Amino acid sequence: LPPDASILTGLNQPTLSSLTKYQGCTTVANAADLGKPQFNLQLDDQRITQTGLGKIEILAPTQLGVAEIASESGVTRTGPSTDYSRLTPLPKGTMVTVTGKEGEWLRLDYGAWINSKETKIITGAVAPQTVIRSVGYRRLSTATEIRFPLETAVPVSVEQGNNAFTLTLYNTTAQTDTIRLDDDPLISRLDWQQVSPKQVKYTFNLKKFQQWGYKLKYENTTLVLTLRHSPRLNKSKRLPLSNIKIVLDPGHGGKESGASGPTGYLEKDVNLIVSKLLRDELVKRGAKVVMTREDDRDVSLVERQVIINTQEPAIALSIHHNSLPDNGDAENTKGFGTFWYHSQSHSLAVFLQNYVVTNLRKPNYGVFWKNLALTRPSAAPAVLLELGFMSNPYEFEEIVNPQAQRKMASTLADGITKWFEGIYLTTEAQRTQR
Ligand SMILES: [Zn+2]
């Protein structure tokens, strides 16, 4: 298959090859070091022999050990390289049995893979598993905290749906008879189920459609899930965004210049200009705005993520301008695009896309689910905006035009305001129905 980004140039179909792929399979009865494999290729009377670079070792289960997640948030994937998709990250302290290795990658017993650099290996440990009895909860002023007391920190995964938040605990067996959960601003009901012998699934049915972010961490062996409440919305005409905190992230900066336009104009500069204009528009409407940078400097992707996680804004927006790879059709590729990752960010992405495309009569580049550093934070709905294509000669004129930049900023601020207003109105309608 061509690389994932080829969806952007429409060249994402499988490429046909005249070669046929040979796959073989064998079984080995006992654990052993088989050394380097030798490959033999024979065509008529010609024969080529080559020794492989890697070595093959069949490991006994007792040799594999237990991995403890040593990084703040362990990146788990569907396979043993960064080409494979990400799964729910594992909180620091998670303990999980290793069932296989490929290079520096470890296969974990519940199916995910992780780079061994993010783990500490404990040899001779017993496979971590736990029972769960009661589940506790605490209502904080801006969030609801659910506490899962466990015997050991087991792997977890999260799924967000419409009006539902689902948490799965692996290597866990329920011995639950009581769960207290009073009427809560967020949760209408908690359902749980032992879905398979070692998997317990908790479904939080939510009162409202929009979710405002979550955090997962281990405190010793207690899993703590924090579900954020809605910010206090209001119908003030003058300051509709008062009580709303927004993180604005002007993409790139410093040594990272991003895309560049036909005149050599850099994306990092235009991102900052529009972000500052947008900040001013949002502040005028009452919002508190936190910027990840206010001048031309290096800010790493991780630093930007940390700002979102610690600031806990109502929403986070990353501002970018797009550019096509060299083989793309620069003349005909243009328009405004939005990118989201967690389900909680989808409604904002679609709303802003429609709002900007309609009100600025911008070409519609599209709404994309996309795995990006600035769409991945889970602490708040986070959307990345590509305001236009710097590689398109006509759109570039508009991108660098100060008047068009001001219009873009005020339209985005209006769109954000309207999105919050829509949530406020549906909440009020629900309240009067009850
Ligand atoms: Zn960019």
Side-chain angles (χ1 to χ4, degrees):
L1 290 173
D4 188 71
S6 58
I7 182 72
L8 304 178
T9 47
L11 303 168
N12 63 330
Q13 294 305 304
T15 40
L16 295 174
S17 158
S18 58
L19 298 172
T20 49
K21 191 174 176 183
Y22 173 78
Q23 287 183 308
C25 196
T26 186
T27 56
V28 178
N30 297 309
D33 187 347
L34 301 178
K36 290 183 173 175
Q38 200 178 64
F39 297 94
N40 294 302
L41 183 67
Q42 192 162 354
L43 180 65
D44 302 328
D45 54 354
Q46 287 185 66
R47 187 185 175 93
I48 306 170
T49 299
Q50 202 175 312
T51 305
L53 296 172
K55 72 174 199 162
I56 299 174
E57 201 177 345
I58 310 297
L59 298 166
T62 50
Q63 282 174 288
L64 288 163
V66 166
E68 178 182 345
I69 305 305
S71 58
E72 215 40 63
S73 175
V75 179
T76 53
R77 295 185 180 273
T78 57
S81 84
T82 53
D83 287 343
Y84 288 94
S85 305
R86 286 171 183 252
L87 298 165
T88 302
L90 294 179
K92 187 177 185 171
T94 303
M95 304 284 281
V96 54
T97 303
V98 178
T99 60
K101 284 182 190 178
E102 189 171 321
E104 58 183 8
W105 291 81
L106 307 176
R107 189 181 63 193
L108 308 177
D109 64 358
Y110 76 106
W113 292 76
I114 193 165
N115 192 304
S116 56
K117 284 182 195 142
E118 299 206 56
T119 66
K120 259 191 327 221
I121 296 295
I122 299 155
T123 46
V126 177
Q129 50 182 315
T130 183
V131 298
I132 179 154
R133 295 190 177 125
S134 61
V135 174
Y137 95 110
R138 283 204 302 170
R139 218 167 100 181
L140 311 174
S141 61
T142 59
T144 298
E145 190 183 270
I146 314 287
R147 301 177 74 87
F148 302 84
L150 305 171
E151 297 169 303
T152 183
V154 292
V156 294
S157 70
V158 162
E159 211 182 310
Q160 283 182 309
N162 284 343
N163 294 75
F165 181 98
T166 307
L167 175 72
T168 301
L169 304 188
Y170 298 92
N171 302 332
T172 302
T173 307
Q175 290 184 354
T176 304
D177 285 320
T178 312
I179 296 175
R180 178 177 174 179
L181 187 62
D182 296 359
D183 191 24
D184 181 81
L186 202 67
I187 302 160
S188 64
R189 192 182 66 240
L190 168 59
D191 294 323
W192 72 270
Q193 200 182 6
Q194 182 88 45
V195 286
S196 70
K198 283 183 156 192
Q199 259 182 60
V200 183
K201 188 172 89 175
Y202 294 87
T203 304
F204 295 91
N205 300 285
L206 304 174
K207 288 181 176 171
K208 286 159 199 159
F209 174 83
Q210 182 60 43
Q211 299 183 42
W212 296 97
Y214 68 90
K215 288 184 175 179
L216 265 177
K217 65 171 178 193
Y218 272 109
E219 283 177 12
N220 298 315
T221 61
T222 295
L223 178 67
V224 182
L225 167 67
T226 311
L227 296 172
R228 295 184 60 207
H229 295 167
S230 162
R232 257 184 239 112
L233 305 171
N234 70 84
K235 58 170 194 285
S236 154
K237 280 271 177 293
R238 206 174 61 82
L239 295 173
L241 297 180
S242 52
N243 304 321
I244 305 285
K245 191 201 269 188
I246 296 173
V247 165
L248 273 190
D249 171 50
H252 315 285
K255 288 190 284 295
E256 294 281 334
S257 51
S260 60
T263 61
Y265 203 110
L266 299 176
E267 185 200 342
K268 63 173 184 177
D269 296 325
V270 68
N271 290 345
L272 184 61
I273 292 170
V274 179
S275 298
K276 283 181 165 173
L277 292 169
L278 176 56
R279 173 196 60 194
D280 297 346
E281 291 288 339
L282 292 169
V283 168
K284 252 197 264 173
R285 290 160 178 79
K288 182 177 190 308
V289 176
V290 176
M291 307 268 286
T292 57
R293 67 179 177 100
E294 296 193 52
D295 48 24
D296 184 20
R297 68 171 68 198
D298 288 298
V299 185
S300 74
L301 295 173
V302 171
E303 285 171 307
R304 293 168 204 251
Q305 292 174 327
V306 167
I307 292 172
I308 296 173
N309 286 332
T310 52
Q311 288 289 334
E312 298 190 353
I315 58 169
L317 295 175
S318 188
I319 305 295
H320 285 254
H321 287 79
N322 222 331
S323 162
L324 265 189
D326 285 342
N327 59 346
D329 182 356
E331 297 266 325
N332 293 308
T333 309
K334 57 192 171 192
F336 182 88
T338 54
F339 299 79
W340 62 280
Y341 184 74
H342 296 291
S343 306
Q344 63 191 9
S345 311
H346 178 255
S347 131
L348 177 63
V350 171
F351 190 92
L352 289 181
Q353 180 72 22
N354 290 343
Y355 194 85
V356 170
V357 165
T358 309
N359 287 281
L360 288 182
R361 294 197 177 83
K362 286 282 278 181
N364 179 8
Y365 183 62
V367 177
F368 296 80
W369 177 87
K370 194 157 170 63
N371 164 32
L372 295 166
L374 269 298
T375 54
R376 278 199 307 269
S378 70
V383 169
L384 185 141
L385 307 174
E386 297 277 6
L387 307 185
F389 275 82
M390 299 191 70
S391 47
N392 181 286
Y394 310 104
E395 211 161 36
F396 177 73
E397 293 294 315
E398 204 177 279
I399 287 169
V400 294
N401 177 319
Q403 204 184 329
Q405 291 169 342
R406 280 196 297 275
K407 187 84 189 120
M408 171 59 84
S410 65
T411 306
L412 278 173
D414 286 341
I416 292 163
T417 308
K418 285 263 188 302
W419 181 75
F420 277 108
E421 208 174 272
I423 289 171
Y424 174 78
L425 292 175
T426 44
T427 309
E428 284 303 292
Q430 271 183 357
R431 205 201 305 273
T432 48
Q433 268 171 20
R434 238 184 271 137

